[in-house]
Amino acid sequence: IEIRHKIKKLLSKMYGPWNAVVGVSGTDNQVKAVIKDVKSHLNHDIKIRVLSYRKIKVIKFIGKLFDKISIIHYLNVLLEAMIPLYFLTRGVPTNSTLPSLYWPLGKVPKNYLDPDQTNSGMMVFLPIIPLDGKIASNFVSITNKIFSQYGFNPAITLNIISNKAMWGVIDLSYIRSDQNQLNLAKKAITELYKSSKEIGILPQRVGIDFMDIIINEDDTYWIYAKKLKDLFDPNNVISPKRYNIR
């Protein structure tokens, strides 16, 4: 946790607490025009860095020559972390994000490609949030406050999915074998579900452990959902109590 705080503090100085990766494709002139337009709108408030395949090769070449210089070595490490994201915008799949699951362990296990077989656990909250800055900011503040009360740092991602909504991904990592951490993690996620519901933010996917928080037996929606369930699955064979009263 201490190492994570130090890295977060260092990255915040260089890049800020929030980062976005966007792929721009087209002809050379089209790409240049889009980048120029983006910079004209955002450059006053946001640091913008353009990464191309040519630039990656140049930076890597310079990095090899001067890697013994501490700041250059750090930038080399940072570049290695960014390269998979760059190629991801070009449609190249990657497993490079999987090691981020293992922050609680302090090291990446050899079998990191199979998280279920490791001691690192994760709980998630997946809200749909109106595309409104004040609402999103309030939600992030609530999330940070709840997690900090239980000793966790939330990993928050907000993705714009339409001109009306954002899809959030809130991760909570913990050590599975630590029963105290497990209990605190459940309490933190449960409180986030309840607090989000109070301000009108609901998840687009719910774990079975938290289904009772979302379902309201007196709500018209869930009453009709039960009627549909009774009609198409009278023996209640398909996914009992998942997104339904029964």
Side-chain angles (χ1 to χ4, degrees), residues 121-140:
M122 176 176 287
M123 295 184 188
V124 296
F125 180 62
L126 306 170
I128 297 296
I129 305 168
L131 189 58
D132 181 287
K134 290 183 179 179
I135 295 175
S137 179
N138 184 40
F139 170 76
V140 170

Side-chain angles (χ1 to χ4, degrees), residues 74-183:
Y74 169 75
L75 291 175
N76 282 339
V77 173
L78 189 61
L79 180 65
E80 288 301 317
M82 293 174 63
I83 286 176
L85 294 176
Y86 167 77
F87 283 107
L88 193 62
T89 65
R90 301 182 66 171
V92 180
T94 177
N95 290 323
S96 298
T97 56
L98 279 176
S100 65
L101 296 173
Y102 303 107
W103 276 108
L105 303 182
K107 62 179 180 180
V108 179
K110 292 181 179 179
N111 58 335
Y112 77 96
L113 292 177
D114 193 359
D116 282 344
Q117 303 304 315
T118 70
N119 196 28
S120 184
M122 176 176 287
M123 295 184 188
V124 296
F125 180 62
L126 306 170
I128 297 296
I129 305 168
L131 189 58
D132 181 287
K134 290 183 179 179
I135 295 175
S137 179
N138 184 40
F139 170 76
V140 170
S141 296
I142 290 172
T143 301
N144 282 322
K145 182 179 179 181
I146 291 172
F147 276 47
S148 64
Q149 287 175 348
Y150 293 97
F152 297 104
N153 292 311
I156 303 174
T157 302
L158 300 179
N159 305 292
I160 297 176
I161 55 176
S162 73
N163 61 349
K164 295 182 179 179
M166 290 181 284
W167 172 38
V169 181
I170 317 302
D171 297 334
L172 187 160
S173 299
Y174 62 96
I175 299 175
R176 285 180 176 178
S177 60
D178 188 327
Q179 190 61 45
N180 183 53
Q181 271 203 18
L182 174 60
N183 293 336

Side-chain angles (χ1 to χ4, degrees), residues 223-237:
I223 291 172
Y224 275 92
K226 180 181 180 299
K227 289 181 178 179
L228 289 172
K229 173 78 168 175
D230 292 339
L231 177 63
F232 292 108
D233 184 22
N235 295 322
N236 199 26
V237 175

